[in-house]
Amino acid sequence: MGQQGSATIILNHKTSTGRVAALSAWVCLLLAGAAIAMPAAEQTAAPAAPHSATNSSPAVLAGFPMNDEIRIKVRELRGLAVSPDGKSILAGITDATAEGGLPHLWLLGPGMKPRQLTFTRPGDRGGETSAQFSPDGKSVLFLASRDDARSLFRLPLAGGEPERLQITKSQKGEVAGAWGGALKKDNLVVPGGYAFSPDGKYLALWGEDPEDPAIKARKERKDDGYNHEEPEQHTFLYMVDFTTGAMRPVKLDGKFASASWSYDSTDMIVKTDPRSDLTGPDGSFWRVNPDTLAATRLDLPKTAGGVAYLPGRKRMVFTNRCIEDAPLDCNELYVQDLATGQVKNLTPDFDGDIPASFTVLPTGDLALIIPTHIRTRLATLSTTTGAVTWHDFGLPVAGSLVFNEKLSAWAFSGTGPTDPSTVFLASKWGAKPVAIEAPALMPSTWAKVPSKLVDWQNDGLTIEGILYMPPNIAPGTKVPLVMNIHGGPSGRFQDDYSAAIQMLVAEGWAVMQPNIRGSTGYGAKFQGANKNDLGGADFRDVMGGVDMLLKNYSIDESKMALIGYSYGGEMAGFVVGKTNRFKAIVSGAPVTNQFSEYGTERGTFYDRWYYGRPWDHFADVWRQSPISTVMHAKTPFLLLQGAEDVTDPLGQSLEMWRALSQYGAPVALIVYPREGHGETLGNFHSLVSQEPWHGVDLRRRMFGFLRAAFAGESDPLAIARKDVP
């Protein structure tokens, strides 16, 4: 099954087991500053344009300008941070796809015109990510890959070029670090992340060891056969002197997984976890003294997630797996009395998702963002009673919650069905925020389509969906319907702004996005309701939603289509073999054969919750494989697949294409080179891409296929098969 993420959906599928780093790249770009002098880099650098923003794509269809506007006008917000004085925000905002799609840093603030601070340089890969404002407010830190080396950089805000923190580790384990100097070519530690202590005294950094010289030499002479096992992880934790760059390694038993500072900077909570595909989560937790680097093991469950001391250090909070039988990414929140050892579940039967990350407030309560049904809300959760206080701000979906270390300012993004992502700033937690001006993310000329919450009953559960209807429907007119199924299964649709929805509705089509059983945001019982039943009641949830729409809305039953990506693509595979009610089906990166998926995907522990090891449950697993009913398929079926996908590999689409072809069903398979699971997902959802034309091409084929099917053409897949339109 496949993991995905987008501005339109919230998904947790397989992230807990590390199966996909694909969309973990929706990395927060954390940085902020007050009124600052323009760095020299901003004064001299000119934006690079690796792909023309003015020339139309050769794949654009006549009469489909929105497709090329996605390429030349759409950008994305990639995280926020607040300045130490609380007066400014730094936002990570991508270039448009036509300009390379890389994220860069912008300075925002009340009454301030947005100002871009960093630009694409020749040879850049990935843009600037994971940025923060230094505690003294004099510099900006960020991760970037420059000159073929990924490093932590420090940019002085008074002017000048960024300095590189060069970290080396010898074969004997000797570690050295320093700012600046000529770039070293060998034995460099590759940083993966870093975090300042709340008091600004310490900087923790974790990074991957240099490649073994012997292995590197073998690769260079192409003597590069390898043992196929889970790759050995070589990420370690260091304490850094921010002024000099000097490094001290933190020695722990086990493999580094994560680190977070305590609210008072007294210590760090560090998790080590082998993350074995055989055992699943098997974490150990350590309390690390930043002065002595002494580590004390904490008595916590091996499946725990976020861990923090509460003020006074008499209690500790942590997340752990749900008591209800549910996928491993289902969390509940616990508080432990450190004197007695007594543990209390604060969130049993919670109607929503408990995130693994949260902020400890001075009161001892927690500030966090909670997904619940189709909303994602700011909330304060009491660590005494578990009661939740909601902090609504006028839009249904919040994200990217950040704060300065004094907790004197909080920033976050907000969005709704007619509102692209907007940056907000509040003077204190729970206070009314103000909207902050930022660069435009979407074309201003696009119509804004409102949403409608609908629900229906199936197999003992209430199923919710988000419906979008085209405007100004003439009385008596019925419109085509596109059903869109989210990924996961542990995922959901939320009530936010979606470029893909705007494009679909602009065609005159109604769109339904159902949160069928197995979705997150509805509690553990709902999330676990599809165990050993993929393609069963979840399929009936989908069809029940179709029947509800036909009964209550002006939908043309002769013009219905279904699309989906990842698990949504898997559901598309179930649908094509179980019903002929749709005119067209689009399946992106699907699972089609659970046996071969399990044997070739990267990581299997997540899948085992749904049906166990497939060889032990042959009949059940074959029943839950879409390819098992492919002999009944008649509906035209379009497969979209990234060639480098290791989450739901190319072989899954190849098997479906071959089976449908040999049974005589109409099918086409489109493959995108260089793309993994997340990259093709982004293009499917009309997001920014670093591939200049793949998104335009995918949407050209998909929309052309849907149009032809609704028009009743005899071979609606013909337009999708054309590599040169």
Side-chain angles (χ1 to χ4, degrees), residues 143 150-152 165-169 175-176 187-195 203-211 232-240 247-250 252 254-259 268 270-271:
L143 296 177
R150 181 172 174 80
S151 304
L152 178 66
L165 177 61
Q166 300 198 69
I167 312 164
T168 58
K169 188 173 184 178
V175 180
N187 298 323
L188 284 174
V189 172
V190 181
Y194 63 99
L203 174 62
L205 179 145
W206 47 96
E208 184 177 344
D209 265 8
E211 187 173 35
E232 189 69 17
Q233 187 179 18
H234 297 283
T235 299
F236 294 94
L237 179 65
Y238 304 92
M239 206 65 66
V240 183
M247 315 284 292
R248 294 182 295 151
V250 180
L252 298 167
K255 298 178 181 178
F256 173 83
S258 63
M268 293 190 75
V270 181
K271 181 179 181 180

Side-chain angles (χ1 to χ4, degrees), residues 298-350:
L298 300 174
D299 184 17
L300 288 165
K302 66 180 183 179
T303 53
V307 178
Y309 286 101
L310 296 177
R313 291 185 166 263
K314 295 181 178 180
R315 297 185 301 153
M316 173 177 281
V317 291
F318 60 91
T319 60
N320 198 11
R321 290 187 61 178
C322 292
I323 295 175
E324 182 85 26
D325 189 14
L328 60 86
D329 50 8
C330 180
N331 292 319
E332 290 174 330
L333 187 69
Y334 294 81
V335 62
Q336 181 176 17
D337 186 301
L338 298 180
T340 66
Q342 183 178 2
V343 176
K344 177 183 178 181
N345 186 347
L346 293 170
T347 57
D349 303 317
F350 190 78

Side-chain angles (χ1 to χ4, degrees), residues 25 186 231 294 303 377 381 450 568 703:
D186 297 311
T303 53
R377 306 174 71 182
L381 192 148
F703 277 76

Side-chain angles (χ1 to χ4, degrees), residues 11-284:
L11 300 161
N12 298 311
H13 180 177
K14 300 182 180 176
T15 52
S16 300
T17 59
R19 292 195 47 186
V20 191
L23 277 240
S24 63
W26 295 38
V27 163
C28 289
L29 297 172
L30 303 177
L31 166 66
I36 59 175
M38 182 178 294
E42 181 186 0
Q43 300 172 28
T44 59
H51 317 297
S52 172
T54 56
N55 295 336
S56 294
S57 160
V60 171
L61 288 176
F64 196 16
M66 293 180 78
N67 195 14
D68 205 46
E69 286 182 317
I70 291 289
R71 188 180 71 92
I72 63 176
K73 294 184 179 181
V74 170
R75 296 189 283 188
E76 292 176 26
L77 180 66
R78 297 274 181 91
L80 307 168
V82 188
S83 62
D85 64 5
K87 296 181 180 179
S88 303
I89 297 171
L90 196 7
I93 298 175
T94 69
D95 291 335
T97 296
E99 304 297 338
L102 296 177
H104 300 299
L105 307 179
W106 288 72
L107 188 67
L108 316 175
M112 180 189 304
K113 288 294 181 183
R115 183 152 57 96
Q116 187 170 353
L117 298 180
T118 61
F119 298 88
T120 298
R121 294 158 32 114
D124 276 3
R125 294 181 293 112
E128 297 80 39
T129 66
S130 303
Q132 296 185 26
F133 199 82
S134 66
D136 62 8
K138 295 181 180 180
S139 58
V140 164
L141 283 76
F142 57 87
L143 296 177
S145 294
R146 296 183 175 179
D147 303 313
D148 296 321
R150 181 172 174 80
S151 304
L152 178 66
F153 290 86
R154 179 172 65 181
L155 174 66
L157 293 177
E161 294 296 323
E163 292 180 295
R164 183 193 301 263
L165 177 61
Q166 300 198 69
I167 312 164
T168 58
K169 188 173 184 178
S170 71
Q171 292 302 296
K172 296 180 179 180
E174 299 166 334
V175 180
W179 291 102
L183 178 62
K184 298 177 174 64
K185 297 297 184 181
D186 297 311
N187 298 323
L188 284 174
V189 172
V190 181
Y194 63 99
F196 283 105
S197 59
D199 63 6
K201 184 178 178 182
Y202 307 98
L203 174 62
L205 179 145
W206 47 96
E208 184 177 344
D209 265 8
E211 187 173 35
D212 185 291
I215 295 176
K216 183 178 180 181
R218 287 190 67 216
K219 290 180 178 179
E220 288 174 349
R221 65 176 183 264
K222 297 190 176 181
D223 176 19
D224 51 1
Y226 63 93
N227 174 39
H228 180 73
E229 289 184 318
E230 290 188 45
E232 189 69 17
Q233 187 179 18
H234 297 283
T235 299
F236 294 94
L237 179 65
Y238 304 92
M239 206 65 66
V240 183
D241 183 307
F242 179 61
T243 302
T244 66
M247 315 284 292
R248 294 182 295 151
V250 180
K251 298 179 180 180
L252 298 167
D253 291 335
K255 298 178 181 178
F256 173 83
S258 63
S260 60
W261 285 100
S262 295
Y263 70 95
D264 56 5
S265 303
T266 300
D267 46 38
M268 293 190 75
I269 305 298
V270 181
K271 181 179 181 180
T272 58
D273 188 346
R275 302 182 72 83
S276 168
D277 190 44
L278 296 176
T279 63
D282 190 16
S284 299

Side-chain angles (χ1 to χ4, degrees), residues 618-634:
F618 193 98
D620 282 347
V621 175
W622 184 243
R623 167 177 53 83
Q624 294 174 86
S625 297
I627 206 167
S628 67
T629 57
V630 73
M631 67 288 299
H632 306 301
K634 298 185 184 302

